Amino acid sequence: MSSPAIDADISPYDRLKALGVSLPPAPSPIANFVTHIQEGNMLYLSGQGPREVDGFMHTGKVGGNVTVEEAYKHARLTGINLLAVMQSALGDLGRVKRVVKLLGMVNAVPDFADHPSVINGCSDLLIDVFGEAGNHARSAVGFGSLPGNITVEIEAIIALKD
């Protein structure tokens, strides 16, 4: 789903609009932590899940009652929530210098082996929104469970412009 070439002069907001994506308000933490920490020119984003604007959370086991295609969409939604947290933290997505690293966690059945295809939902979105600066290092791993039985959780590390 990733665009082959994206003009570096196009703002992240124009790219979001072209993708038909409206950023929701940043989701609130579900426990005793904050959504982000900025240290110097680095922004560390806590894990986000596939929460819809109305609060509905997508749940289930990937490879069981959730398909890879469905989970890809859940990872994309999780990426939108990460962008919402970035927007809230920074006030302007134009401050993003680079997406440095993602950790993608998939709530999967024990024999599931296609975790990267699921987390591509978030990776593809970030590349679509930030162009070359959206390319990142990444881990995509499986878990026996995630909070609230959500299908995916993704955290990110972002480098900021000076």
Side-chain angles (χ1 to χ4, degrees):
M1 288 197 164
S2 192
S3 300
I6 300 175
D7 185 338
D9 295 331
I10 300 174
S11 80
Y13 299 102
D14 289 338
R15 293 176 186 159
L16 284 166
K17 185 176 180 181
L19 293 168
V21 174
S22 297
L23 293 182
S28 298
I30 62 169
N32 189 16
F33 63 91
V34 295
T35 59
H36 65 281
I37 294 287
Q38 184 176 339
E39 182 63 35
N41 284 346
M42 300 299 290
L43 183 66
Y44 299 85
L45 302 178
S46 295
Q48 292 292 323
R51 180 190 311 245
E52 297 285 354
V53 175
D54 64 5
F56 177 82
M57 296 289 277
H58 294 277
T59 61
K61 290 281 190 188
V62 182
N65 62 336
V66 178
T67 67
V68 171
E69 295 76 18
E70 290 169 325
Y72 175 97
K73 291 176 185 172
H74 299 169
R76 185 177 189 279
L77 175 59
T78 301
I80 291 169
N81 290 327
L82 287 167
L83 288 168
V85 172
M86 281 183 235
Q87 170 64 36
S88 176
L90 303 173
D92 180 3
L93 293 177
R95 293 185 56 204
V96 172
K97 178 179 180 182
R98 164 168 290 291
V99 177
V100 176
K101 175 92 163 74
L102 294 184
L103 170 58
M105 298 159 271
V106 180
N107 184 5
V109 297
D111 62 346
F112 184 73
D114 203 10
H115 309 86
S117 292
V118 171
I119 302 304
N120 279 347
C122 182
S123 293
D124 292 348
L125 174 71
L126 294 176
I127 293 166
D128 285 344
V129 171
F130 295 113
E132 185 63 30
N135 283 321
H136 50 271
R138 184 182 87 179
S139 298
V141 295
F143 281 74
S145 67
L146 289 173
N149 198 36
I150 59 176
T151 53
V152 297
E153 181 175 348
I154 304 171
E155 63 181 46
I157 301 172
I158 309 297
L160 306 176
K161 295 176 182 173
D162 293 327

